[in-house]
Amino acid sequence: GASIFMPTSRVEEVLITSGPRPALLDRAAYSVSVLSADDISASGANGLGGLASLVGGATLTDLGPGRNKIFLRGLADSAVAGRTQSTVGLYLDGARITYNAPDPDLRLIDIERVEVLRGPQGAIYGAGSIGGVFEIVTRRPALDAWTETVNIGAAQTIGGASSRSIDAVVNAPLAPGRLGLRVVAYDELQGGYLDNNLLDLKNVNEVRRRGFRTALRWQVNPDWSLTAKVTRQTVDAADSQYADPAVGVRARDTAIQEPHGDDFTAYGLDVVGRQPWGDVTATSYLVRQTQTSRFDASLALPFYTPSPGVGPTPFDQVDTSEIWVNEVSVTSRAEGRLRWLGGLFQSLTDNESASTLTTSTTARSAPMTLYSEHRRDRISEFAAYGQVSYMIAPRLVFSAGGRLFASWLKTTSNVAQPFVADSASFDGALTTTGFAPQVVLSYRPSDVVTLYMQASEGYRSGGFNTAGLPDQAFSPQGRGLEPWRQYGGDELWNFESGAKFTLLRGMARVRAAGFYMLWRNVQSDQLLANGLNYTANTGDGRDVGGEADFDIRPDDHWRLRLNATIAKPEITSPNTLFLANPGFGLSGSWNYWASVQATYSRRLSRSFELEVTGNCGYVGGANLTLDAVTAAEDVIQSAIGKLSVRLVHQHWSVTAYVTTPLSGGSDTFGFGNPFTFRLVDQTTPARPTTAGLSVSLNLP
């Protein structure tokens, strides 16, 4: 809801809860960004993609809501949505909510903050966090205040359709001081801006997003609380959002529409306690996610049958995953020279995937199945982790810790080609064990300076390739050309040093870090010639770079934020059994990232405040793919700008904004259909200039 801004020329210190232990932002000995509820509101972001321009070194694949991968520091494994575990861990209130699924694109309504840790976090967060961690922290139910907030928005895209949204938040203290309920509900329609000329359809890429979130908090006593939560969201995208420049800047010709759906539900239980010897946190989450996708596979038809098709040739895929995650951690409360933390983690993941390709051989015949696969992956994970920090000397602290982990994978697959009565099956198991360490040395020469050095490791487990026609050849691991039947796990070591300064009596905060990363046995999702995906180990790589961000408030009215990251991710020792061009660096990586945000606020009277915010972000030198068939390096750059004006009252606020692309190029990644990207030039254009208006009401 709206709030009256309290002028101050000091940049406030922020407490972060992600990472090894709660710490002030400027004292944390690692690279971290925190976006508060006010930051999210001022940016107008309604999903993690909208925050990317405010988080140093963050990019998304931009395939569409509910389909995107998130990357940090240019550590991208591929723009292809395959089976590799995510490089960036996604967390909701301390619980991991994905394994290898893309970002569910939860709408950021009633969010306390978003915390972003950069660099591998394997020691605390485990597998799937080699690039870092995004954690969404929702607002807890208040136990002593009844509040109701309604937000209504509308927007119009030039050359596209209109958009609208409505959301509401209710907080009800059921038993003042003891029991509180908080409910969030929303409904959003994002208007399309791409055309399908062949089907004579306009603005085909419309997206509908609906959901709710409830939290029931019970304060058992002053030291213990219990919170039960339910989060549910559905995303229905009517079509993909890529274009064919040969047809039009924002148009393409496909024989069918390519809808996508994402159904996400999370049930959670949090227990938090404070004891004289330490703080205890226990979480248990059950996450269910179903994704449906359709692609036009007409151009890939010759790979599946010699008979020409005359009707639509859709490739349909349904992925259903269920993740049960349990974790308990204990953090010491003592303020002496020795501090510690420890935890146990357990998860069970069950993922089922059904893929089908159909076509019609004559105008009147029923659709015939040319290819199908049913695959199931069951993954069990267990880990124990801990960290010990010791003050060697006043202001000098050494920390060491790590994670002892084990995972068990069971994969079964049945592939069929009914047209020729052929089939193949696979049944495999894989066990992975290891230890991910982390060491940190931090020094505070004064109360306004923090210096640190660290070495840390991140990792991902291996798996199996199964997609392909029944006669698809899979080589043994390490022998023969890719694809291998089994791909190996990868690991990333990060060596980093950083500094954080508070300058000009608190009016400016500067954070900078340099990093050198060694990535061994890089996993990367790739495509077979027929459009089906597989995972390859492309070789060993590295990423060298630096990042800096400045948060400056020269007076009571102005605030300026600058972020910049320069990186050079590359494959240094390519896998010679993978046919690719190693000179392109890492698939989906970039070299330059920058953003700037300026905010001006002024109190107009006792009841009104005016706030003007402008921001823009730039990504340059992004490589789309390592694919051997791609004739040339696809280097992409993009820039997006936004200007908003907000009038704030105690009980309401009105915001007007305009968002526009600042470059004529495509967005971060440039293909959306795996069956045609070798044959058709695909780009992902940014949403054209869009103007919008939103109203927020705090009901009495």
Side-chain angles (χ1 to χ4, degrees), residues 218-226 271-275 277 280-281:
W218 176 28
Q219 192 69 40
V220 182
N221 57 46
D223 295 325
W224 289 90
S225 68
L226 183 150
V271 178
V272 178
R274 296 173 61 87
Q275 296 296 304
W277 43 268
V280 181
T281 302

Short mmCIF file of all heavy atoms in Angstrom, two decimals, residues 218-226 271-275 277 280-281:
data_model
loop_
_atom_site.label_atom_id
_atom_site.label_comp_id
_atom_site.label_asym_id
_atom_site.label_seq_id
_atom_site.Cartn_x
_atom_site.Cartn_y
_atom_site.Cartn_z
N TRP A 218 0.69 -18.09 14.05
CA TRP A 218 0.33 -18.30 15.46
C TRP A 218 1.56 -18.01 16.32
O TRP A 218 2.57 -18.69 16.21
CB TRP A 218 -0.15 -19.73 15.66
CG TRP A 218 -0.46 -20.07 17.09
CD1 TRP A 218 -0.88 -19.22 18.07
CD2 TRP A 218 -0.36 -21.36 17.70
NE1 TRP A 218 -1.06 -19.88 19.25
CE2 TRP A 218 -0.76 -21.22 19.06
CE3 TRP A 218 -0.01 -22.63 17.24
CZ2 TRP A 218 -0.78 -22.29 19.95
CZ3 TRP A 218 -0.03 -23.70 18.12
CH2 TRP A 218 -0.42 -23.52 19.46
N GLN A 219 1.46 -16.98 17.14
CA GLN A 219 2.53 -16.66 18.08
C GLN A 219 2.27 -17.46 19.34
O GLN A 219 1.50 -17.07 20.22
CB GLN A 219 2.56 -15.16 18.37
CG GLN A 219 3.80 -14.69 19.11
CD GLN A 219 5.06 -14.77 18.25
OE1 GLN A 219 5.02 -14.45 17.07
NE2 GLN A 219 6.16 -15.20 18.84
N VAL A 220 2.89 -18.62 19.42
CA VAL A 220 2.63 -19.55 20.52
C VAL A 220 2.98 -18.92 21.85
O VAL A 220 2.23 -18.99 22.83
CB VAL A 220 3.42 -20.85 20.30
CG1 VAL A 220 3.12 -21.85 21.43
CG2 VAL A 220 3.09 -21.46 18.95
N ASN A 221 4.15 -18.30 21.91
CA ASN A 221 4.61 -17.55 23.09
C ASN A 221 5.65 -16.55 22.59
O ASN A 221 5.94 -16.51 21.39
CB ASN A 221 5.17 -18.50 24.17
CG ASN A 221 6.29 -19.37 23.66
OD1 ASN A 221 7.21 -18.90 22.98
ND2 ASN A 221 6.23 -20.67 23.96
N PRO A 222 6.21 -15.73 23.46
CA PRO A 222 7.16 -14.73 22.96
C PRO A 222 8.35 -15.29 22.20
O PRO A 222 8.98 -14.57 21.40
CB PRO A 222 7.60 -14.02 24.25
CG PRO A 222 6.44 -14.17 25.18
CD PRO A 222 5.89 -15.52 24.89
N ASP A 223 8.67 -16.57 22.40
CA ASP A 223 9.86 -17.14 21.78
C ASP A 223 9.58 -18.03 20.58
O ASP A 223 10.51 -18.31 19.81
CB ASP A 223 10.64 -17.95 22.82
CG ASP A 223 11.19 -17.08 23.94
OD1 ASP A 223 11.58 -15.93 23.65
OD2 ASP A 223 11.22 -17.54 25.09
N TRP A 224 8.35 -18.50 20.41
CA TRP A 224 8.07 -19.45 19.35
C TRP A 224 6.86 -19.01 18.52
O TRP A 224 5.87 -18.52 19.07
CB TRP A 224 7.79 -20.85 19.92
CG TRP A 224 9.01 -21.51 20.47
CD1 TRP A 224 9.47 -21.43 21.75
CD2 TRP A 224 9.94 -22.33 19.77
NE1 TRP A 224 10.64 -22.15 21.90
CE2 TRP A 224 10.95 -22.72 20.68
CE3 TRP A 224 10.01 -22.77 18.45
CZ2 TRP A 224 12.01 -23.53 20.32
CZ3 TRP A 224 11.08 -23.59 18.09
CH2 TRP A 224 12.05 -23.96 19.01
N SER A 225 6.98 -19.18 17.19
CA SER A 225 5.87 -18.88 16.31
C SER A 225 5.77 -19.96 15.23
O SER A 225 6.77 -20.60 14.88
CB SER A 225 6.02 -17.50 15.65
OG SER A 225 7.11 -17.50 14.75
N LEU A 226 4.56 -20.13 14.73
CA LEU A 226 4.29 -21.12 13.68
C LEU A 226 3.46 -20.45 12.60
O LEU A 226 2.47 -19.77 12.90
CB LEU A 226 3.57 -22.33 14.28
CG LEU A 226 3.27 -23.52 13.37
CD1 LEU A 226 3.26 -24.80 14.20
CD2 LEU A 226 1.91 -23.35 12.68
N VAL A 271 8.42 -22.95 11.37
CA VAL A 271 8.49 -22.86 12.83
C VAL A 271 9.76 -22.10 13.18
O VAL A 271 10.86 -22.46 12.73
CB VAL A 271 8.51 -24.25 13.48
CG1 VAL A 271 8.63 -24.12 15.00
CG2 VAL A 271 7.26 -25.04 13.11
N VAL A 272 9.61 -21.03 13.95
CA VAL A 272 10.75 -20.20 14.33
C VAL A 272 10.77 -20.06 15.85
O VAL A 272 9.74 -19.78 16.48
CB VAL A 272 10.66 -18.80 13.69
CG1 VAL A 272 11.83 -17.92 14.13
CG2 VAL A 272 10.62 -18.92 12.17
N GLY A 273 11.95 -20.29 16.43
CA GLY A 273 12.07 -20.21 17.88
C GLY A 273 13.36 -19.53 18.30
O GLY A 273 14.36 -19.55 17.57
N ARG A 274 13.32 -18.91 19.44
CA ARG A 274 14.49 -18.25 20.01
C ARG A 274 14.77 -18.86 21.38
O ARG A 274 13.90 -18.91 22.25
CB ARG A 274 14.25 -16.74 20.16
CG ARG A 274 14.05 -16.01 18.84
CD ARG A 274 13.65 -14.56 19.07
NE ARG A 274 14.67 -13.82 19.81
CZ ARG A 274 15.69 -13.21 19.24
NH1 ARG A 274 15.85 -13.27 17.93
NH2 ARG A 274 16.57 -12.55 19.97
N GLN A 275 16.00 -19.34 21.53
CA GLN A 275 16.46 -19.92 22.78
C GLN A 275 17.73 -19.20 23.22
O GLN A 275 18.40 -18.55 22.40
CB GLN A 275 16.74 -21.41 22.60
CG GLN A 275 15.50 -22.24 22.26
CD GLN A 275 14.47 -22.22 23.37
OE1 GLN A 275 14.76 -22.57 24.52
NE2 GLN A 275 13.26 -21.78 23.05
N TRP A 277 20.58 -20.26 23.71
CA TRP A 277 21.77 -20.78 23.04
C TRP A 277 21.74 -20.61 21.52
O TRP A 277 22.74 -20.83 20.85
CB TRP A 277 21.95 -22.25 23.35
CG TRP A 277 20.67 -23.04 23.29
CD1 TRP A 277 19.82 -23.30 24.32
CD2 TRP A 277 20.09 -23.64 22.14
NE1 TRP A 277 18.74 -24.04 23.90
CE2 TRP A 277 18.89 -24.27 22.55
CE3 TRP A 277 20.45 -23.73 20.79
CZ2 TRP A 277 18.06 -24.95 21.66
CZ3 TRP A 277 19.63 -24.41 19.91
CH2 TRP A 277 18.46 -25.02 20.36
N VAL A 280 16.28 -21.10 16.18
CA VAL A 280 15.91 -22.32 15.47
C VAL A 280 14.90 -21.98 14.38
O VAL A 280 13.92 -21.27 14.64
CB VAL A 280 15.32 -23.37 16.42
CG1 VAL A 280 14.97 -24.64 15.67
CG2 VAL A 280 16.29 -23.68 17.56
N THR A 281 15.12 -22.49 13.17
CA THR A 281 14.18 -22.34 12.08
C THR A 281 13.96 -23.69 11.42
O THR A 281 14.92 -24.37 11.05
CB THR A 281 14.70 -21.35 11.02
OG1 THR A 281 14.93 -20.08 11.63
CG2 THR A 281 13.69 -21.18 9.90
#
